[in-house]
Amino acid sequence: MSLFIKNISLPNNPTERANVLIADGKIRSLNARAEDGAGHETIDGSGLTLLPGLIDLHVHFRDPGFPEKETTASGCGAAARGGVTTVCPMPNTKPTIDSVETLELIERAAAAANGVHVLPLGTITRGENGESLTDYAALNRVRNECFRLTGRGLSAVSEDGKSLMDPRLMREAMIAIQANGLKIFSHAEEIGLCGGCMRLGKASERLGVIGIPAEAESIIVARDILLSEATGCPVHFCHISTAASVSLIRWAKARGLAVTAETAPHYLILSEDDVQADNGRFKMNPPLGNEKDREALFEGLIDGTIDAIATDHAPHTAEEKNRPLPKAPFGVTGLETSFSASYTALVKSGKITLPRLVELMAARPAEILGLSRGVLKVGAAADLTLVDLNAAFRVDPEKSRSKAKHSPFAGREFSGKVKMTLINGKVIYHD
Ligand code: DOR
Ligand code: ZN
Ligand code: ZN
């Protein structure tokens, strides 16, 4: 099986056109001659840019437990439409991902889906009960897709949805996790400070809504940095949303610690001022911050403090999200808008270059997972995304392939439309 993509732009070289040859699922040439296309199925890439398939470190597919919100199949459909070729579903399912049986169940669902690589995380504690550690070694032996791509049954572990609050158990977990060659994805949230439904500040006061202080996040970021230093366990910080967290992570990196971080497009584009009391669409955890936080996140993306953009795609039914703020569940969708939102907010605005965005959305996530993917190079797997950087469109959640027809970006106009997504050289999405 072979494919020839002609006249396409590459991120490092936007003014020139290249011909790309793909055979047996791999990139064979990134500068083929026009005549090399003879005999191959050909796609005309004129006006389009070729990117490595995007890798999203943080999604929620609700398998098992809540198929009405999302399934592995519907989530993979949304990923493909967003140009995302690898996803890491978080383990806060029902039951949680803490057993071989559950991992295998997800493996079977992924094998029956569209080919998007599904690398689920395991929990830190059994059932996310905060009391006893998951058997990491047992999960690591599972021979699933994750094993094929990473050599381990798990890509990482996380208590996402909350923090493991007991610092003694967290320390013990870090020692065991490090010994199993894994890392922690830390959802940082001091439980004693939560209980609100948006960021504490002027906007929450104006709306008369209970707020969550910014320190709820940064206190746990600080704790987990110190525990990482003490134990040597690598820690990846999920969905960083506050200026103080960015400073703490910058400090940890300057000390040479094994710390990485992601943020999400909604923290870059929206703020507490967008939150509406009668509408759950802008409710997520951690909550939207203020302008100082946004500024700090931009700086962190520019100077390398933040390694990755992930979505925290957290689907809920439209009925749940349409409730007033206090009654709506935490979580917003993101898989289908992450590239366009990030391209518009970061590259079109002149803050970062397109190659840097590709690093944030593909190359660094691959490194964090230990995958040899996420880059355009000869011999690499042909997980590819074709985008039209000049195409502008309005976000319409009704068109979503996710079961969750809601988006905090509904009605916004973004540039950079995903036109085609390939996995191992096979087209799985075509706009
Ligand atoms: O907004 C969120 N939604 N934050 C979380 O930590 C969990 C997630 C979910 O599972 O819906
Ligand atoms: Zn989380
Ligand atoms: Zn999450």
Side-chain angles (χ1 to χ4, degrees), residues 161-175:
K162 58 181 192 256
S163 286
L164 170 50
M165 284 313 305
D166 178 349
R168 181 185 295 274
L169 192 60
M170 186 63 160
R171 197 174 192 286
E172 205 181 297
M174 283 202 189
I175 291 167

Side-chain angles (χ1 to χ4, degrees), residues 58 60 62 69 90 92 159-162 187 189 239 266-267 283-286 312-316 321 329-332:
H58 193 137
H60 296 264
R62 306 300 189 180
K69 294 178 194 257
M90 291 296 134
N92 62 339
E159 211 84 329
D160 191 53
K162 58 181 192 256
H187 167 119
E189 181 187 17
H239 43 55
H266 41 273
Y267 302 117
K283 183 174 177 183
M284 79 293 287
N285 197 7
D312 198 4
H313 175 84
H316 297 288
K321 288 303 280 181
F330 288 102
V332 295

Side-chain angles (χ1 to χ4, degrees), residues 382-426:
D383 289 356
L384 302 170
T385 298
L386 279 67
V387 294
D388 183 345
L389 297 176
N390 295 316
F393 68 99
R394 210 167 280 288
V395 176
D396 177 2
E398 286 307 320
K399 294 195 179 133
S400 176
R401 296 208 174 174
S402 167
K403 287 200 179 183
K405 312 277 186 223
H406 57 84
S407 163
F409 301 128
R412 283 194 184 241
E413 193 176 272
F414 291 140
S415 294
K417 197 164 201 291
V418 174
K419 289 295 192 181
M420 197 179 277
T421 307
L422 292 85
I423 293 195
N424 292 324
K426 186 169 161 247

Side-chain angles (χ1 to χ4, degrees), residues 53 184 232 234:
I184 285 187

Side-chain angles (χ1 to χ4, degrees), residues 176-340:
I177 288 161
Q178 198 256 1
N180 279 281
L182 298 168
K183 56 181 65 172
I184 285 187
F185 278 31
S186 171
H187 167 119
E189 181 187 17
E190 162 58 59
I191 202 164
L193 289 174
C194 60
C197 45
M198 66 181 289
R199 170 68 73 77
L200 178 69
K202 286 209 182 73
S204 69
E205 273 167 37
R206 176 168 49 79
L207 297 176
V209 164
I210 301 174
I212 304 166
E215 318 84 76
E217 176 178 289
S218 36
I219 284 172
I220 299 295
V221 170
R223 180 198 75 171
D224 286 357
I225 287 171
L226 297 173
L227 289 176
S228 169
E229 177 162 35
T231 62
C233 181
V235 175
H236 172 73
F237 288 102
C238 299
H239 43 55
I240 286 306
S241 70
T242 79
S245 299
V246 175
S247 299
L248 289 164
I249 293 162
R250 187 175 288 123
W251 177 83
K253 289 191 164 191
R255 283 171 85 78
L257 305 184
V259 162
T260 54
E262 78 197 24
T263 189
H266 41 273
Y267 302 117
L268 304 174
I269 293 173
L270 305 170
S271 78
E272 58 186 3
D273 295 322
D274 292 295
V275 178
Q276 300 165 2
D278 58 351
N279 185 332
R281 264 204 307 137
F282 301 98
K283 183 174 177 183
M284 79 293 287
N285 197 7
L288 296 168
N290 57 39
E291 290 309 316
K292 286 214 172 77
D293 297 308
R294 282 183 63 210
E295 216 34 67
L297 292 171
F298 289 135
E299 276 167 34
L301 289 164
I302 291 165
D303 75 8
T305 301
I306 300 176
D307 299 84
I309 295 176
T311 60
D312 198 4
H313 175 84
H316 297 288
T317 64
E319 187 273 315
E320 290 169 309
K321 288 303 280 181
N322 283 334
R323 294 176 196 158
L325 200 57
K327 294 244 158 68
F330 288 102
V332 295
T333 62
L335 269 169
E336 288 160 281
T337 47
S338 58
F339 177 77
S340 316

